[in-house]
Amino acid sequence: MTSRLASAGVAVTTAALLAAALSPTADAADRPTRATAVRNAVTALVDQAAHLGLTSAQGTTVRDVVIDKDGSQHVRYDRTYRQLPILGGDFVVHLAPNGTYRSASRATTRSISLSTISPSVSAPKAADLAASALRAANVGEALKKITSKPQLVVDALHGAPKLAWQTNTAALDSVGNPVARTVVTDARTGAQIDAWDSIETATGDGKSLYGGTVPLQTTGSGSAYQLKDPTRGNTYTGDAENGTDLCVFGICIVRAPATLFTDTDNHWGTGATADRASAAVDAQYGTDETWDYYKDTFGRNGIKGNGAGSYNRVHYGKNYNNAFWDDSCFCMTYGDGDGSIFGPLVSLDVAGHEMTHGVTSSTAKLAYTSESGGLNEATSDIFGTLVEFNAANSADPGDYLIGEKVVRSGFGKTALRYMDQPSKDTKSANCWSSAVGNLDVHYSSGVANHFAYLLAEGSGAKTLNGVSYNSPTCNGSTVTGIGRAKLGAIWYKALTTYMTSSTNYAGARTATLSAARDLYGASSTEYAAVAAAWSAVSVG
């Protein structure tokens, strides 16, 4: 739904808004519907326009609606300014069960007013600057087939709002694997404002590589079966046939295949890499377990919450040491690894991690840079871990190690990341400092991963499922955990209700405290535990 404030917050006049306004009022005894929540939010936008910094030059679009069990409503909006997207313009309107305005969470509180929306730097120049930034980020690589797609935006993520170009640039590296970067450029001076990587780097049965023999829901097709699950939005797994593609943010040069796996007896794979179906079993199983975790725990029906399934591609590239979620194809892609550093990157926690990038993109849309990027990565680590615990698979029991199944001896460590003590990987941060935002997002995520472990399990030494942990605190305190279920509930509530694209670590503390208050009360043990866990990692 898109709306525009017609005059200084006095009226809203679009057909979609009129339809919402004419929808029947929900019975007080019933939980409000989405339409009711949007109608109530529209009323709030009009009444609170000055407070929210909304003007007649701005448009709003509903991104997501969350309705609590008690009827409280949370409507998430994106904004435009004179029809240009606003980076950091997103906000969430919080409403009481009766639809009255309570508060708002805003990515920026700055007023947005520009003297002109005509750029001094041309679109072709912005494209060239972004291509240069991509080359600089891939020094030593002979990039080919570089494409750049600039879009004029208002940047409110980085200080005072300014006219900017957001350019999505992509290419193929020397072995044909995709590289991509989003570059934000000042449209007046041509100076680079920010840049970040655009590829976010995670009834039959099957013998998997990592999870033993697992159940699979498949689709009959004549005398054969397809690795497509009709019970989970027709999610499916295909073979990329070691091809590569470049299709990021709508820039499509070439796309690797996703040839649907088929089988004659509905018993898939052998558990060995020599059988290409074995990796497909892991990928499909990971998708199933992640779907079930979100649906059974939070009532979320698929990544976008609309019941639509995604798909997997396995055997992507040649010796490709990565797995990634891509919004443009609504899919997960898994490399086979080079056998020395990584094996096939299709483990359960990696699958949960990558699918969670899709959930984040559909909700808070945490910017993949600085502290918000670290929170984006940590969100995927947290829920990838919770998916693994929830699956309760004895062949791959839950743990607080990320990617422990896929690393090989050449990697030099036993896991990609360690949530109890992130610094064990030699690069991640245990504690917050002003320098955290300068780290790669996979390492700045350490602060939130450490918080999550402390909140669930507490500080000190313990052993779970045969794995020993010893989590320190940055302030010397002792933290008592409240369990994984409450960690998941609080983080999911914060992600879908209070976090925005620009949320940093201080904002994450506020968001999770708000979530704990909503779920358990401001005087609860859970609320106090959230505060203590953040303090234990030097946030707040």
Side-chain angles (χ1 to χ4, degrees):
M1 174 178 290
T2 302
S3 62
R4 181 169 297 281
L5 295 178
S7 59
V10 175
V12 182
T13 57
T14 67
L17 184 52
L18 180 60
L22 293 176
S23 62
T25 302
D27 185 2
D30 296 332
R31 204 158 166 243
T33 64
R34 178 187 173 93
T36 300
V38 172
R39 184 193 63 199
N40 293 337
V42 166
T43 300
L45 293 192
V46 174
D47 294 343
Q48 302 292 327
H51 173 69
L52 296 174
L54 301 176
T55 67
S56 59
Q58 297 180 36
T60 57
T61 303
V62 174
R63 187 197 303 170
D64 194 23
V65 176
V66 174
I67 300 174
D68 296 342
K69 289 182 179 179
D70 69 351
S72 297
Q73 303 140 55
H74 312 273
V75 182
R76 185 181 294 273
Y77 284 94
D78 289 311
R79 275 193 290 171
T80 60
Y81 176 79
R82 296 171 67 179
Q83 299 185 335
L84 298 179
I86 302 174
L87 302 184
D90 52 305
F91 62 95
V92 186
V93 174
H94 307 293
L95 305 165
N98 65 1
T100 57
Y101 176 81
R102 276 181 172 169
S103 63
S105 300
R106 301 163 64 189
T108 182
T109 58
R110 294 175 182 265
S111 61
I112 297 175
S113 179
L114 304 183
S115 60
T116 180
I117 57 171
S118 297
S120 300
V121 175
S122 67
K125 178 63 174 177
D128 289 343
L129 291 170
S132 296
L134 182 65
R135 292 189 188 95
N138 293 272
V139 175
E141 286 286 351
L143 300 184
K144 53 190 177 182
K145 297 183 178 179
I146 297 178
T147 62
S148 296
K149 184 178 180 181
Q151 180 182 27
L152 198 60
V153 299
V154 175
D155 173 34
L157 272 177
H158 306 88
K162 61 183 72 67
L163 193 66
W165 289 104
Q166 178 175 277
T167 305
N168 299 311
T169 185
L172 297 176
D173 67 16
S174 57
V175 295
N177 292 319
V179 293
R181 201 155 176 82
T182 297
V183 181
V184 181
T185 306
D186 191 312
R188 183 179 60 86
T189 66
Q192 181 174 302
I193 299 170
D194 201 355
W196 57 87
D197 290 336
S198 300
I199 296 179
E200 298 177 340
T201 52
T203 304
D205 59 63
K207 292 182 178 179
S208 69
L209 298 176
Y210 302 123
T213 300
V214 296
L216 296 171
Q217 296 294 320
T218 60
T219 300
S221 178
S223 60
Y225 299 89
Q226 298 174 336
L227 195 52
K228 178 189 289 187
D229 187 344
T231 70
R232 297 178 177 92
N234 283 318
T235 57
Y236 72 90
T237 299
D239 193 336
E241 300 175 5
N242 299 110
T244 58
D245 64 32
L246 190 57
C247 188
V248 181
F249 294 106
I251 307 171
C252 296
I253 297 173
V254 61
R255 183 177 289 283
T259 305
L260 183 62
F261 279 89
T262 60
D263 189 82
T264 57
D265 62 4
N266 215 16
H267 300 293
W268 306 76
T270 62
T273 56
D275 187 333
R276 295 180 75 84
S278 298
V281 170
D282 285 272
Q284 187 72 22
Y285 169 66
T287 302
D288 293 351
E289 289 295 333
T290 304
W291 180 290
D292 291 352
Y293 170 77
Y294 277 106
K295 187 171 184 179
D296 296 345
T297 308
F298 307 118
R300 187 177 191 87
N301 192 22
I303 289 175
K304 285 189 175 181
N306 61 0
S310 55
Y311 69 94
N312 305 307
R313 295 181 300 178
V314 295
H315 306 303
Y316 179 88
K318 297 176 181 178
N319 300 325
Y320 187 54
N321 282 329
N322 201 5
F324 60 89
W325 167 264
D326 186 346
D327 274 326
S328 71
C329 64
F330 201 61
C331 69
M332 281 81 65
T333 300
Y334 300 93
D336 288 325
D338 61 5
S340 173
I341 298 175
F342 296 111
L345 287 97
V346 290
S347 64
L348 180 55
D349 57 353
V350 171
H353 175 107
E354 299 306 338
M355 287 185 70
T356 296
H357 276 308
V359 175
T360 298
S361 180
S362 300
T363 55
K365 208 169 188 176
L366 289 157
Y368 206 62
T369 182
S370 191
E371 291 188 16
S372 59
L375 287 164
N376 188 320
E377 276 296 315
T379 297
S380 284
D381 282 350
I382 290 166
F383 286 118
T385 294
L386 294 177
V387 165
E388 187 179 66
F389 272 106
N390 188 68
N393 184 333
S394 60
D396 185 10
D399 54 55
Y400 290 95
L401 311 177
I402 306 300
E404 76 284 354
K405 289 285 190 180
V406 305
V407 298
R408 298 294 182 264
S409 59
F411 185 66
K413 292 181 282 292
T414 57
L416 290 170
R417 290 182 288 282
Y418 305 83
M419 295 180 71
D420 66 317
Q421 192 175 344
S423 61
K424 286 194 290 188
D425 68 10
T426 72
K427 295 180 179 180
S428 293
N430 285 346
C431 312
W432 182 88
S433 73
S434 58
V436 160
N438 298 324
L439 297 176
D440 179 279
V441 294
H442 295 88
Y443 307 134
S444 61
S445 64
V447 179
N449 281 344
H450 191 192
F451 159 83
Y453 178 88
L454 289 170
L455 184 61
E457 304 294 346
S459 57
K462 66 170 19 180
T463 300
L464 293 168
N465 291 337
V467 180
S468 297
Y469 304 96
N470 193 359
S471 190
T473 58
C474 306
N475 60 357
S477 65
T478 298
V479 176
T480 301
I482 59 174
R484 291 183 294 274
K486 290 179 178 179
L487 160 66
I490 290 168
W491 198 271
Y492 183 80
K493 176 72 172 174
L495 178 74
T496 58
T497 303
Y498 291 107
M499 291 184 185
T500 66
S501 58
S502 68
T503 295
N504 58 14
Y505 272 112
R509 177 186 172 107
T510 299
T512 50
L513 284 171
S514 296
R517 178 202 62 209
D518 291 353
L519 293 170
Y520 307 109
S523 300
S524 65
T525 299
E526 293 82 0
Y527 184 93
V530 170
W534 278 124
S535 295
V537 296
S538 301
V539 177

